[in-house]
Amino acid sequence: MMSNSSLTRGFTLIEVMLAMAVFAIAGLALLSAASNNARNMGHLENKMFANWVASNQLVAANLEQKWPPKNNAKGDVELAGRQWFWHQKVIKTTDKDMRAIVVEVRLDEDEKLPLSSLTTYVSKVEQ
């Protein structure tokens, strides 16, 4: 007969520590991926709302009947519980009867780069 000690098998301390290290590294990688995903979702949400604000301002500019469109208009609007700051620029084109309107949107009025920037073109209406 065989003794109990020869049938008992298990992991050595080094094998257990190596397995724990592998699981710890995998856990850190998953945690980092989840953190990046959450941060990116917040940024994408901000960009989506900024695009909506810019789109709304471009529609309002298109509805105005003034020629040329008002240049360097600024304002703020509340959307999704936050204050959004927009700035409209009117740019001349090669066609004297057409203008480009660019609307930039920021969460902070003093930010250098906009979260969103949309452009549309309007033409002079002959009457």
Side-chain angles (χ1 to χ4, degrees):
M1 279 193 122
M2 296 176 85
S3 69
N4 260 352
S5 62
S6 64
L7 292 177
T8 306
R9 296 182 186 221
F11 295 106
T12 64
L13 182 59
I14 291 178
E15 290 172 330
V16 170
M17 290 177 66
L18 185 61
M20 287 177 58
V22 168
F23 285 123
I25 291 170
L28 286 175
L30 284 174
L31 189 61
S32 175
S35 172
N36 284 340
N37 189 29
R39 188 173 34 255
N40 288 339
M41 288 299 291
H43 182 69
L44 288 175
E45 181 181 85
N46 286 342
K47 283 194 72 75
M48 179 185 69
F49 288 135
N51 279 332
W52 286 353
V53 170
S55 182
N56 289 343
Q57 294 308 314
L58 288 177
V59 168
N62 276 322
L63 291 175
E64 277 189 21
Q65 297 298 317
K66 291 182 184 177
W67 184 259
K70 189 189 255 183
N71 193 14
N72 291 329
K74 290 183 177 183
D76 60 282
V77 65
E78 186 178 333
L79 179 69
R82 287 184 255 168
Q83 206 67 19
W84 301 88
F85 297 92
W86 58 270
H87 182 228
Q88 172 183 303
K89 298 176 194 172
V90 178
I91 302 167
K92 289 183 179 180
T93 63
T94 55
D95 183 348
K96 66 180 175 70
D97 293 331
M98 183 173 278
R99 299 285 188 267
I101 300 176
V102 179
V103 174
E104 295 179 343
V105 178
R106 294 168 174 81
L107 263 174
D108 182 4
E109 199 170 11
D110 299 326
E111 281 182 37
K112 205 169 198 176
L113 296 174
L115 271 172
S116 176
S117 178
L118 294 181
T119 304
T120 192
Y121 294 88
V122 293
S123 63
K124 189 178 201 179
V125 178
E126 296 293 328
Q127 296 176 352

